[in-house]
Amino acid sequence: MKSKMISLALFVAALCLILSDPVWAYRGGRDPMKEPWYTPAVNYWSHKGCLGEEGVEDLNNLQKQVTWSDLAGTLSKLDKNYSDANYQTDLSSSPVAWAKDLAIMDRDLGGDDVVTRLDGARALATFLKKSCAKSQAPLSSTGLSGFSDIPQVDREAVLFVKANGLMKGHADGHFGGNEPLLVCQLVQILYNGRELFSDIRLDKLFLLDPTQVDYIEIQDGITGDVKVIRERDQVAKLVKLLNSFRFHKAEFSDCDGWTCRMKLYSSSGLETDFTLSVDSVTLNRTRYLSNDSHFSTIVK
């Protein structure tokens, strides 16, 4: 009888530890044996200055839902280009505007909108792909065989964050894409990829898929003449040129004095519209400057 009581007590104690692990928040001075799963992540990013004291000490803050303002603020702190004040623009003076400029965040979203796990996967994939980080491309789509809740259009982003060890699905085989992303989860995700995020600069403006671009319009800024590019090899060549553009600085622009305007169209209509000079791209009133004459072949 005594041994059965001891076994029951041990079972109950183990069950309590399992159930409490994901819900207890971090607080300084806790018994290490009772600390939650994200304690090392909180300690790491707190030391790096990416978490405020309030976020570290308050249980509710670590368990709250991530907003786009939270996510943009955190990622902008990691971007050396942004933190080094290389964004000298009115439009990109805030992290949310910066995230929208670089298509990390959709323009129709607000800073107070809640980020889902799928939103987070898409944003992180874009953030890393537009940076100098040596991230891993997924080898195949077979890793999503159990993620029945992920739409086909979002599978690449989910595979990307999984391949880089940032996020994975639940034990039941679902990714939980529609679930809100919690602050403690975001901190753990960044901790999982801490080597990728340790010294990162966003320097790519475009991540275009040539198969999704039907045709391109190029307008001369002096004569106003418009040339339409429909040949697939020429479209692919221009898309490759745009994707290889790297910028080191962004500044406010009123779009006056441009020498070339380019519009990219897909089957659903106009996708993006911007102007070019020999060494820059101006998009949404922000001029992105390169260190070389990148567009000398199409801008005279």
Side-chain angles (χ1 to χ4, degrees), residues 168-181:
K168 58 183 180 180
H170 297 313
D172 64 359
H174 290 79
F175 185 74
N178 292 327
E179 299 171 9
L181 184 67

Side-chain angles (χ1 to χ4, degrees), residues 180-199:
L181 184 67
L182 303 181
V183 172
C184 58
Q185 293 173 341
L186 174 59
V187 174
Q188 183 64 50
I189 289 167
L190 297 179
Y191 182 70
N192 293 342
R194 57 193 177 278
E195 293 185 5
L196 288 174
F197 297 117
S198 62
D199 186 20

Side-chain angles (χ1 to χ4, degrees), residues 213 215-218 227-229 235 238-239 262-264:
V213 179
Y215 65 96
I216 299 174
E217 285 185 2
I218 301 177
K227 181 180 180 181
V228 180
I229 308 296
V235 169
L238 286 173
V239 168
M262 187 174 288
K263 296 181 180 181
L264 275 62

Side-chain angles (χ1 to χ4, degrees), residues 247-278:
F247 68 91
H248 72 283
K249 185 178 180 180
E251 61 185 21
F252 176 76
S253 172
D254 59 8
C255 296
D256 289 339
W258 54 271
T259 55
C260 175
R261 180 182 294 277
M262 187 174 288
K263 296 181 180 181
L264 275 62
Y265 292 86
S266 70
S267 58
S268 58
L270 179 64
E271 290 296 323
T272 185
D273 178 2
F274 49 88
T275 60
L276 304 173
S277 68
V278 172

Side-chain angles (χ1 to χ4, degrees), residues 231-243:
E231 294 79 6
R232 297 313 305 164
D233 59 336
Q234 291 299 313
V235 169
K237 184 177 180 179
L238 286 173
V239 168
K240 182 178 180 180
L241 182 66
L242 291 170
N243 284 341

